[in-house]
Amino acid sequence: MCKFAITHARCDDECQFADLIITCAGRRFYCEQAVVCSQSEYFQEKCLAYWHRTSRKSIDLPNNDPHLINLMLEFLYTVAYESKEGTDTIFHLNHPRHILKIHLALYAIGDEFGIPTLCSYSATRFYRTLLQERDPKDVLECIRLVYESAADARPLRIRAIAVLVRRPRVITARAEERSIFIRLMEHVKLFRNDYLEARLVEDLREGEDVDEWGGMWISRVRRYVEVQDPQD
């Protein structure tokens, strides 16, 4: 059933105590407003908009992937999600690149529904998975997706650039990777600015002439390059 308790039950069976139903692509998720609305600005506003009409609220999400909504709710109840769980998804989960896409998609979900904790968690999972990705081409392709995202992706950008700083061979491994990197530098102004700033800071961080702007980038880049545990 779709009541999301700490032990996740199956979806689509009605739960007597659920006071919020979220529907998405024919699936019904039965959950509690106290859990969902307390963590999401979007769902809080939706439920408050017609709080007096009925004790059980229903919200339809026609434009979202139900598998991602399922993972979103899993996070809201357990402060984690399992990106390899389930088969009813638009992604092929047997490939690391698609696991990275799950993290990117859930970051976008967190941004869309006003769930900052989901954004932070998925960004960290993205960074740790990207660090372990062995194929340089997949690393660069996922970084490209970050810069194409419609979400407010600054935390993802910082982590993506941190990976390139930590793994410089990604952009020099083969001619194909060098070509992807050059296209990013030529055509994605934001990526070019972020990368050049990060490299400048990396080159100057031992000097005494690093200004406040450089120090800001040192703290941000070094935080994800040197501090975070790379285990996913």
Side-chain angles (χ1 to χ4, degrees):
M1 62 184 178
C2 264
K3 176 187 182 295
F4 278 80
I6 294 301
T7 56
H8 288 276
R10 294 188 305 274
C11 294
D12 303 317
D13 294 331
E14 183 171 358
C15 174
Q16 180 180 356
F17 301 105
D19 58 1
L20 174 61
I21 304 172
I22 298 174
T23 59
C24 181
R27 296 183 62 180
R28 295 165 67 87
F29 300 90
Y30 292 86
C31 27
E32 289 83 18
Q33 294 181 54
V35 175
V36 176
C37 297
S38 63
Q39 301 178 76
S40 166
E41 296 178 3
Y42 174 88
F43 289 108
Q44 182 181 84
E45 291 177 1
K46 285 289 187 180
C47 287
L48 289 177
Y50 58 102
W51 64 271
H52 58 284
R53 298 182 188 177
T54 176
S55 59
R56 172 177 283 185
K57 311 298 189 296
S58 180
I59 298 174
D60 184 38
L61 305 175
N63 300 319
N64 294 97
D65 174 17
H67 179 72
L68 295 177
I69 297 302
N70 183 74
L71 291 176
M72 176 195 75
L73 291 170
E74 182 180 343
F75 174 82
L76 292 178
Y77 275 85
T78 67
V79 201
Y81 60 77
E82 177 50 64
S83 58
K84 295 182 180 180
E85 182 177 308
T87 57
D88 53 340
T89 175
I90 58 177
F91 303 105
H92 302 288
L93 296 177
N94 60 345
H95 195 291
R97 185 194 305 173
H98 298 288
I99 296 174
L100 284 164
K101 288 183 178 180
I102 286 285
H103 298 320
L104 290 176
L106 284 167
Y107 182 95
I109 288 284
D111 183 68
E112 178 181 358
F113 295 117
I115 311 173
T117 51
L118 178 56
C119 289
S120 178
Y121 180 79
S122 57
T124 298
R125 290 284 300 274
F126 170 79
Y127 171 75
R128 293 174 178 176
T129 305
L130 196 64
L131 271 180
Q132 298 177 53
E133 173 53 50
R134 295 183 178 181
D135 189 335
K137 180 180 178 181
D138 286 344
V139 172
L140 289 170
E141 287 292 348
C142 286
I143 290 175
R144 179 182 61 80
L145 291 175
V146 168
Y147 281 85
E148 290 179 351
S149 172
D152 180 11
R154 184 172 179 80
L156 289 174
R157 286 166 38 210
I158 292 173
R159 288 160 171 83
I161 295 299
V163 169
L164 291 183
V165 170
R166 182 166 182 171
R167 299 179 58 187
R169 287 181 61 84
V170 164
I171 59 179
T172 61
R174 297 171 300 198
E176 185 176 12
E177 284 74 39
R178 290 195 295 271
S179 177
I180 295 172
F181 176 74
I182 290 171
R183 288 200 302 271
L184 283 169
M185 291 291 283
E186 289 178 343
H187 301 298
V188 185
K189 181 179 179 180
L190 194 56
F191 171 82
R192 180 171 67 249
N193 291 346
D194 286 351
Y195 181 76
L196 292 177
E197 286 179 2
R199 289 308 313 170
L200 177 62
V201 169
E202 185 70 10
D203 293 339
L204 296 179
R205 65 177 181 171
E206 300 299 332
E208 298 180 356
D209 57 344
V210 179
D211 57 14
E212 182 179 355
W213 160 80
M216 174 185 68
W217 267 95
I218 285 178
S219 63
R220 288 177 175 172
V221 173
R222 291 185 66 181
R223 177 183 175 188
Y224 297 108
V225 170
E226 300 177 356
V227 177
Q228 289 203 30
D229 179 4
Q231 297 297 318
D232 190 3

